[in-house]
Amino acid sequence: MINIKKIMALCLITAFSVSSMAGCSSLKNDSSTADSTEVSVTDSQTQPESSEDDSSASEKSSENDIIFNFANSNSWTDGSETIYQLDGSITNKGSNDLSDWKVTVTVSDGSIVKNSWGMKYDIDKTTMTITPDENTGSVPADGSINFGIQIASSKPIDTDSAVFTSSSVAAKANNDVKTNENKNENTSDPSKNITSSGNAKEVPAPSTDDWLSVKKNKIVDSDGKEVWLTGCNWFGYNTGTNVFDGLWAADLNTSINAIADHGFNLLRIPISTQLVNNWEDGDIPDANFNQATNSYLVGMNSLEIFDYVIGQCRANGIKIMIDFHCAKTDASGHNAPMWTGEGVSEKDYIRGLEWIAQRYKDDDTIIAMDLENEPHGKENESPRAKWDDSKDSDNWKYIAQKAGLAVLKKNPNLLIMVEGIEIYPKDIKSNGDFSSQNKDDYLYNWWGGNLRGVADNPVDLGKYNDKLVYSPHDYGPTVYEQPWFKSDYDYDSLMKDCWYDNWFYIYDKKIAPLLIGEWGGYMTEPNISWMTYCRDLIRKNKLNHTFWCFNANSGDTGGLVKDDFTTWDEDKYEFVKEVLWQDSKGKFVGLDHQIALGENGITLSEYKD
């Protein structure tokens, strides 16, 4: 997304880095953040609050039944402040519910809480006391709860000072957890049907009859029938979680089923180039998730889980678009303006795209590749993405062309999504090479949203131009108050001041189809007016789109689900539902010819409208 988007957004609850059962590990975040720390609770740290005799201990959880983890999983700067994120989990392997838990931890004097979830808190000078909220007051037998907090502090929080207590625990919490070995061998089979939980769907074999192509400004199936891609985003593979964010609380299968049942026929999956390179090189990191809630994933590495996700999407009738969201695996990696940097070269970037295309070339569950998320940069910034007719390494048009052709050489059936940049010269005759550093010489838009260059230098995929889709991003004033928001605005003014010249002309002049890769936000003013106009634009022109986002932890947009990653925000969903593809009977239309979209949808073959 843009400027302040995801600086807090993706970092907001970046990745629940501490798994609650076997295989506990902390988030590996290579950005300049505090080291993640896993807390071992010693005998002296954890004592029952009340001194009851041994005769009552049999009614409580035993000392070996409770696993308590607490970690400093991430940090980032916000102005003059440093924000530290602490993630915690309590797992109850006993036969009785756990109640009345409490955690105390030492903090710096003057620390200020910015955000919290799954907990209440009180700070008395240098002691913070954490107690359950209405959702985490009872840890069910054979279950777990998660909580977390973001706190501005003058120095990192000493998680070793954390003390867990509960009147329901006979003795102490036990953190003696064995970790799973990751053999780091790139041997997973993408078509393997792995044994799963009860709510998983049986995975059908991959097919190759659902590939899509372009006809003027429409996307069509193999029979030339127009289709409408109406999906959502779910991030995490880009942040360091190495799996979808939210699996610290939610069950993966339940979430995928719910996305399909709610009628989203396409899932845009942000991923980092670094992670894909890791997979290709056989240096496969583990995924961070709640292993009690997602026990069927225990023992799988991140690539095996990714293959599992593809299988469950296929079984639910959901198609996938892979979004190369950032070069480096980092919750703030999207802030880098280019597809390279921080140890990721252009060669690494291209080979990552090629590897995904090659690996899944016989599986039309993945139907599209978004080549790069939000290339950007202002006129006085270096590096910055430009769009011209050169072969310069910072020319996104040239690189997108080169990358798209590399992908299509491996799999000629994929749709290629090309986003825009941030700035474009007002006069290409005098400043066509972007050499001016005068801001008045440029026209601005959201990161990834400036596609003015297509009019002068369109991406040319040669014989594969029937695979080319342009994919702008657009947001409202709660993300950033762009000039077109600073006075009264409406649909017509947005079209005149932003949409048409930046990207809608591509659709209007039938140059190519559009897919709005990110749009969304909170259901309040000043955002709801813009979001309503954007929805009207999508509905009126049947524009393809993927709503931002499923995740609850997107700071300045919120998500389709609430903080538990299970409860849907019904007001927001009903709003978005109006631009999900449905037939005349209200059935959601999938993009698979044979597999219906969830429990409330139909196949593409069944669609007759």
Side-chain angles (χ1 to χ4, degrees), residues 119-136:
M119 55 172 276
K120 296 179 180 179
Y121 67 89
D122 179 72
I123 297 180
D124 183 9
K125 294 183 179 179
T126 61
T127 299
M128 178 168 62
T129 301
I130 297 172
T131 53
D133 66 8
E134 61 274 11
N135 298 314
T136 56

PDB file of all heavy atoms in Angstrom, residues 119-136:
ATOM      1  N   MET A 119      -6.314  -9.254  26.213  1.00  0.00           N
ATOM      2  CA  MET A 119      -5.822  -9.006  27.562  1.00  0.00           C
ATOM      3  C   MET A 119      -6.271  -7.634  28.054  1.00  0.00           C
ATOM      4  O   MET A 119      -6.675  -6.765  27.280  1.00  0.00           O
ATOM      5  CB  MET A 119      -4.294  -9.051  27.590  1.00  0.00           C
ATOM      6  CG  MET A 119      -3.653  -8.086  26.595  1.00  0.00           C
ATOM      7  SD  MET A 119      -1.865  -7.921  26.732  1.00  0.00           S
ATOM      8  CE  MET A 119      -1.759  -6.682  28.034  1.00  0.00           C
ATOM      9  N   LYS A 120      -6.200  -7.455  29.377  1.00  0.00           N
ATOM     10  CA  LYS A 120      -6.297  -6.148  30.010  1.00  0.00           C
ATOM     11  C   LYS A 120      -4.950  -5.872  30.683  1.00  0.00           C
ATOM     12  O   LYS A 120      -4.168  -6.806  30.906  1.00  0.00           O
ATOM     13  CB  LYS A 120      -7.419  -6.124  31.034  1.00  0.00           C
ATOM     14  CG  LYS A 120      -8.808  -6.338  30.435  1.00  0.00           C
ATOM     15  CD  LYS A 120      -9.883  -6.338  31.516  1.00  0.00           C
ATOM     16  CE  LYS A 120     -11.268  -6.548  30.914  1.00  0.00           C
ATOM     17  NZ  LYS A 120     -12.313  -6.563  31.961  1.00  0.00           N
ATOM     18  N   TYR A 121      -4.681  -4.635  31.021  1.00  0.00           N
ATOM     19  CA  TYR A 121      -3.382  -4.337  31.599  1.00  0.00           C
ATOM     20  C   TYR A 121      -3.496  -3.178  32.593  1.00  0.00           C
ATOM     21  O   TYR A 121      -4.424  -2.370  32.549  1.00  0.00           O
ATOM     22  CB  TYR A 121      -2.370  -3.970  30.509  1.00  0.00           C
ATOM     23  CG  TYR A 121      -2.692  -2.677  29.808  1.00  0.00           C
ATOM     24  CD1 TYR A 121      -2.206  -1.455  30.278  1.00  0.00           C
ATOM     25  CD2 TYR A 121      -3.515  -2.668  28.676  1.00  0.00           C
ATOM     26  CE1 TYR A 121      -2.532  -0.263  29.652  1.00  0.00           C
ATOM     27  CE2 TYR A 121      -3.846  -1.480  28.044  1.00  0.00           C
ATOM     28  CZ  TYR A 121      -3.348  -0.289  28.536  1.00  0.00           C
ATOM     29  OH  TYR A 121      -3.676   0.891  27.923  1.00  0.00           O
ATOM     30  N   ASP A 122      -2.517  -3.129  33.484  1.00  0.00           N
ATOM     31  CA  ASP A 122      -2.366  -2.013  34.409  1.00  0.00           C
ATOM     32  C   ASP A 122      -0.870  -1.796  34.621  1.00  0.00           C
ATOM     33  O   ASP A 122      -0.128  -2.775  34.797  1.00  0.00           O
ATOM     34  CB  ASP A 122      -3.060  -2.310  35.740  1.00  0.00           C
ATOM     35  CG  ASP A 122      -2.889  -1.170  36.732  1.00  0.00           C
ATOM     36  OD1 ASP A 122      -3.520  -0.119  36.518  1.00  0.00           O
ATOM     37  OD2 ASP A 122      -2.104  -1.330  37.693  1.00  0.00           O
ATOM     38  N   ILE A 123      -0.433  -0.545  34.551  1.00  0.00           N
ATOM     39  CA  ILE A 123       0.987  -0.236  34.762  1.00  0.00           C
ATOM     40  C   ILE A 123       1.129   0.615  36.013  1.00  0.00           C
ATOM     41  O   ILE A 123       0.513   1.682  36.125  1.00  0.00           O
ATOM     42  CB  ILE A 123       1.590   0.495  33.553  1.00  0.00           C
ATOM     43  CG1 ILE A 123       1.547  -0.403  32.304  1.00  0.00           C
ATOM     44  CG2 ILE A 123       3.030   0.906  33.839  1.00  0.00           C
ATOM     45  CD1 ILE A 123       2.120   0.247  31.065  1.00  0.00           C
ATOM     46  N   ASP A 124       1.906   0.125  36.952  1.00  0.00           N
ATOM     47  CA  ASP A 124       2.236   0.857  38.176  1.00  0.00           C
ATOM     48  C   ASP A 124       3.740   1.082  38.182  1.00  0.00           C
ATOM     49  O   ASP A 124       4.515   0.190  38.535  1.00  0.00           O
ATOM     50  CB  ASP A 124       1.787   0.066  39.405  1.00  0.00           C
ATOM     51  CG  ASP A 124       2.049   0.809  40.708  1.00  0.00           C
ATOM     52  OD1 ASP A 124       2.426   2.001  40.642  1.00  0.00           O
ATOM     53  OD2 ASP A 124       1.902   0.199  41.779  1.00  0.00           O
ATOM     54  N   LYS A 125       4.141   2.267  37.731  1.00  0.00           N
ATOM     55  CA  LYS A 125       5.549   2.629  37.614  1.00  0.00           C
ATOM     56  C   LYS A 125       6.274   1.665  36.688  1.00  0.00           C
ATOM     57  O   LYS A 125       6.149   1.763  35.479  1.00  0.00           O
ATOM     58  CB  LYS A 125       6.198   2.697  38.995  1.00  0.00           C
ATOM     59  CG  LYS A 125       5.628   3.821  39.861  1.00  0.00           C
ATOM     60  CD  LYS A 125       6.331   3.916  41.203  1.00  0.00           C
ATOM     61  CE  LYS A 125       5.759   5.057  42.026  1.00  0.00           C
ATOM     62  NZ  LYS A 125       6.416   5.161  43.348  1.00  0.00           N
ATOM     63  N   THR A 126       7.009   0.691  37.216  1.00  0.00           N
ATOM     64  CA  THR A 126       7.782  -0.212  36.360  1.00  0.00           C
ATOM     65  C   THR A 126       7.229  -1.632  36.335  1.00  0.00           C
ATOM     66  O   THR A 126       7.897  -2.553  35.863  1.00  0.00           O
ATOM     67  CB  THR A 126       9.258  -0.255  36.810  1.00  0.00           C
ATOM     68  OG1 THR A 126       9.319  -0.738  38.152  1.00  0.00           O
ATOM     69  CG2 THR A 126       9.892   1.118  36.714  1.00  0.00           C
ATOM     70  N   THR A 127       6.028  -1.818  36.831  1.00  0.00           N
ATOM     71  CA  THR A 127       5.412  -3.149  36.826  1.00  0.00           C
ATOM     72  C   THR A 127       4.124  -3.117  36.022  1.00  0.00           C
ATOM     73  O   THR A 127       3.215  -2.334  36.311  1.00  0.00           O
ATOM     74  CB  THR A 127       5.106  -3.639  38.249  1.00  0.00           C
ATOM     75  OG1 THR A 127       6.319  -3.718  38.992  1.00  0.00           O
ATOM     76  CG2 THR A 127       4.453  -5.022  38.207  1.00  0.00           C
ATOM     77  N   MET A 128       4.071  -3.938  34.986  1.00  0.00           N
ATOM     78  CA  MET A 128       2.843  -4.090  34.211  1.00  0.00           C
ATOM     79  C   MET A 128       2.189  -5.398  34.582  1.00  0.00           C
ATOM     80  O   MET A 128       2.833  -6.459  34.601  1.00  0.00           O
ATOM     81  CB  MET A 128       3.138  -4.072  32.708  1.00  0.00           C
ATOM     82  CG  MET A 128       1.894  -4.271  31.845  1.00  0.00           C
ATOM     83  SD  MET A 128       2.145  -3.919  30.069  1.00  0.00           S
ATOM     84  CE  MET A 128       3.383  -5.159  29.665  1.00  0.00           C
ATOM     85  N   THR A 129       0.915  -5.339  34.906  1.00  0.00           N
ATOM     86  CA  THR A 129       0.142  -6.534  35.238  1.00  0.00           C
ATOM     87  C   THR A 129      -0.834  -6.819  34.103  1.00  0.00           C
ATOM     88  O   THR A 129      -1.618  -5.944  33.707  1.00  0.00           O
ATOM     89  CB  THR A 129      -0.640  -6.338  36.546  1.00  0.00           C
ATOM     90  OG1 THR A 129       0.280  -6.039  37.599  1.00  0.00           O
ATOM     91  CG2 THR A 129      -1.421  -7.597  36.901  1.00  0.00           C
ATOM     92  N   ILE A 130      -0.761  -8.014  33.556  1.00  0.00           N
ATOM     93  CA  ILE A 130      -1.609  -8.445  32.445  1.00  0.00           C
ATOM     94  C   ILE A 130      -2.629  -9.441  32.972  1.00  0.00           C
ATOM     95  O   ILE A 130      -2.274 -10.415  33.635  1.00  0.00           O
ATOM     96  CB  ILE A 130      -0.763  -9.091  31.334  1.00  0.00           C
ATOM     97  CG1 ILE A 130       0.225  -8.074  30.751  1.00  0.00           C
ATOM     98  CG2 ILE A 130      -1.654  -9.657  30.225  1.00  0.00           C
ATOM     99  CD1 ILE A 130       1.239  -8.673  29.789  1.00  0.00           C
ATOM    100  N   THR A 131      -3.902  -9.185  32.707  1.00  0.00           N
ATOM    101  CA  THR A 131      -4.982 -10.082  33.104  1.00  0.00           C
ATOM    102  C   THR A 131      -5.873 -10.355  31.905  1.00  0.00           C
ATOM    103  O   THR A 131      -5.816  -9.625  30.897  1.00  0.00           O
ATOM    104  CB  THR A 131      -5.813  -9.467  34.239  1.00  0.00           C
ATOM    105  OG1 THR A 131      -6.255  -8.148  33.848  1.00  0.00           O
ATOM    106  CG2 THR A 131      -4.996  -9.360  35.523  1.00  0.00           C
ATOM    107  N   PRO A 132      -6.711 -11.385  31.963  1.00  0.00           N
ATOM    108  CA  PRO A 132      -7.513 -11.736  30.786  1.00  0.00           C
ATOM    109  C   PRO A 132      -8.594 -10.703  30.480  1.00  0.00           C
ATOM    110  O   PRO A 132      -9.069 -10.001  31.376  1.00  0.00           O
ATOM    111  CB  PRO A 132      -8.131 -13.082  31.161  1.00  0.00           C
ATOM    112  CG  PRO A 132      -7.855 -13.308  32.594  1.00  0.00           C
ATOM    113  CD  PRO A 132      -6.878 -12.319  33.069  1.00  0.00           C
ATOM    114  N   ASP A 133      -8.991 -10.630  29.203  1.00  0.00           N
ATOM    115  CA  ASP A 133     -10.182  -9.868  28.853  1.00  0.00           C
ATOM    116  C   ASP A 133     -11.358 -10.834  28.770  1.00  0.00           C
ATOM    117  O   ASP A 133     -11.255 -11.992  29.199  1.00  0.00           O
ATOM    118  CB  ASP A 133      -9.977  -9.090  27.550  1.00  0.00           C
ATOM    119  CG  ASP A 133      -9.813  -9.975  26.319  1.00  0.00           C
ATOM    120  OD1 ASP A 133     -10.008 -11.203  26.416  1.00  0.00           O
ATOM    121  OD2 ASP A 133      -9.497  -9.434  25.249  1.00  0.00           O
ATOM    122  N   GLU A 134     -12.470 -10.381  28.205  1.00  0.00           N
ATOM    123  CA  GLU A 134     -13.677 -11.209  28.205  1.00  0.00           C
ATOM    124  C   GLU A 134     -13.529 -12.459  27.341  1.00  0.00           C
ATOM    125  O   GLU A 134     -14.296 -13.416  27.486  1.00  0.00           O
ATOM    126  CB  GLU A 134     -14.873 -10.390  27.703  1.00  0.00           C
ATOM    127  CG  GLU A 134     -14.747  -9.846  26.290  1.00  0.00           C
ATOM    128  CD  GLU A 134     -14.017  -8.500  26.255  1.00  0.00           C
ATOM    129  OE1 GLU A 134     -13.431  -8.102  27.283  1.00  0.00           O
ATOM    130  OE2 GLU A 134     -14.028  -7.858  25.189  1.00  0.00           O
ATOM    131  N   ASN A 135     -12.546 -12.492  26.460  1.00  0.00           N
ATOM    132  CA  ASN A 135     -12.377 -13.641  25.567  1.00  0.00           C
ATOM    133  C   ASN A 135     -11.319 -14.628  26.032  1.00  0.00           C
ATOM    134  O   ASN A 135     -11.241 -15.747  25.518  1.00  0.00           O
ATOM    135  CB  ASN A 135     -12.012 -13.154  24.158  1.00  0.00           C
ATOM    136  CG  ASN A 135     -13.084 -12.297  23.530  1.00  0.00           C
ATOM    137  OD1 ASN A 135     -14.263 -12.651  23.591  1.00  0.00           O
ATOM    138  ND2 ASN A 135     -12.702 -11.182  22.927  1.00  0.00           N
ATOM    139  N   THR A 136     -10.480 -14.226  26.971  1.00  0.00           N
ATOM    140  CA  THR A 136      -9.348 -15.072  27.345  1.00  0.00           C
ATOM    141  C   THR A 136      -9.343 -15.443  28.832  1.00  0.00           C
ATOM    142  O   THR A 136      -8.350 -15.910  29.350  1.00  0.00           O
ATOM    143  CB  THR A 136      -8.024 -14.370  27.001  1.00  0.00           C
ATOM    144  OG1 THR A 136      -7.974 -13.086  27.648  1.00  0.00           O
ATOM    145  CG2 THR A 136      -7.887 -14.162  25.501  1.00  0.00           C
TER     146      THR A 136
END
